[in-house]
Amino acid sequence: MPRPAAGSRAPEAGTDTPRPAPDPVAFSRRVVVTGSPAPSRPTAVTGAPGRSEGSPGRPGPGGDAPRPSTLRLIREDLHAVLDRDPSCAGRREALLHPGWQGLALYRLAHRRHVRGHRLRAALLTRVARLLTGMEIHAGARIGRRAFIDHGFGVVIGETAVVGADVTLYHGVTLGSRGWLRDGAGQGRRHPVVGDRVVIGTGASVLGPVTVADGCRVAAHTLVLRDLTAP
């Protein structure tokens, strides 16, 4: 083993050894992300059913998501009563809520309607009207976690589409503009209501109009035109 030349000193332990120069290629691969991600554009509600997860006929982000069972939808409606009605002290009291009872009968009627058993669906709709004072056509599409407060006098037409987490108060009408204006009744005659919409007491939304996500319709309002997102 060669010895160091005279007068030279061997490197002491603990001293820094020379480092190799940084690789410019490896350095160029380092990416520093700054700032916040670009905001996603809100999805507007169109005349056809929307595209948010949890609404009737709405596929999720991964494609066509399976529709929840009728029993699960009824249970979610019951939880919506417990979450949004401070007068309900527990599950047993929520079971007597007329708005939930009307929605539960609608869910059962809608299942039969889509299977082609229109007469059975109509009979369930009649029972719901006699018990709760609500008239929801079995052909209407109502999203998950719906809440109808009090419920008496609520009317929802056949081609109406209601999104998820919607709150309706008593006396709300989602109807058409009448036989003379609708003509033969072909196509959509009733409103499309987006997600998280609140419609106040006695309000009427008539015709094939669109109420965008997050809108709040004041009590006793007549809506005949599209409402944009707030």
Side-chain angles (χ1 to χ4, degrees), residues 41-53 55-56 58 141 159-164 166 188 190-197 205 207-215 225-230:
R41 300 178 62 183
T43 301
V45 178
T46 59
R51 294 176 295 276
S52 63
E53 186 178 2
S55 299
R58 302 184 175 188
R141 290 186 288 171
T159 61
V161 178
V162 180
V166 169
R188 185 165 66 90
H190 302 93
V192 170
V193 178
D195 299 338
R196 303 176 305 280
V197 173
V205 186
V209 300
T210 298
V211 180
D213 295 348
C215 285
R225 298 180 180 178
D226 294 349
L227 298 181
T228 59

Side-chain angles (χ1 to χ4, degrees), residues 49 68 76 81 95 100 118 126 142 155 184 215:
E76 290 180 349
V81 173
L95 290 172
W100 175 80
R118 296 180 61 92
R126 171 62 68 174
I142 300 179
V155 177
C215 285

Side-chain angles (χ1 to χ4, degrees), residues 11-65:
E12 299 178 358
T15 59
D16 294 334
T17 59
R19 298 180 179 180
D23 185 2
V25 177
F27 184 78
S28 63
R29 293 176 182 173
R30 300 177 183 176
V31 179
V32 180
V33 179
T34 59
S36 58
S40 59
R41 300 178 62 183
T43 301
V45 178
T46 59
R51 294 176 295 276
S52 63
E53 186 178 2
S55 299
R58 302 184 175 188
D64 293 336

Side-chain angles (χ1 to χ4, degrees), residues 178-210:
W179 181 84
L180 293 177
R181 182 178 290 270
D182 294 337
Q186 300 297 327
R188 185 165 66 90
R189 311 185 308 277
H190 302 93
V192 170
V193 178
D195 299 338
R196 303 176 305 280
V197 173
V198 178
I199 303 181
T201 302
S204 296
V205 186
L206 305 181
V209 300
T210 298

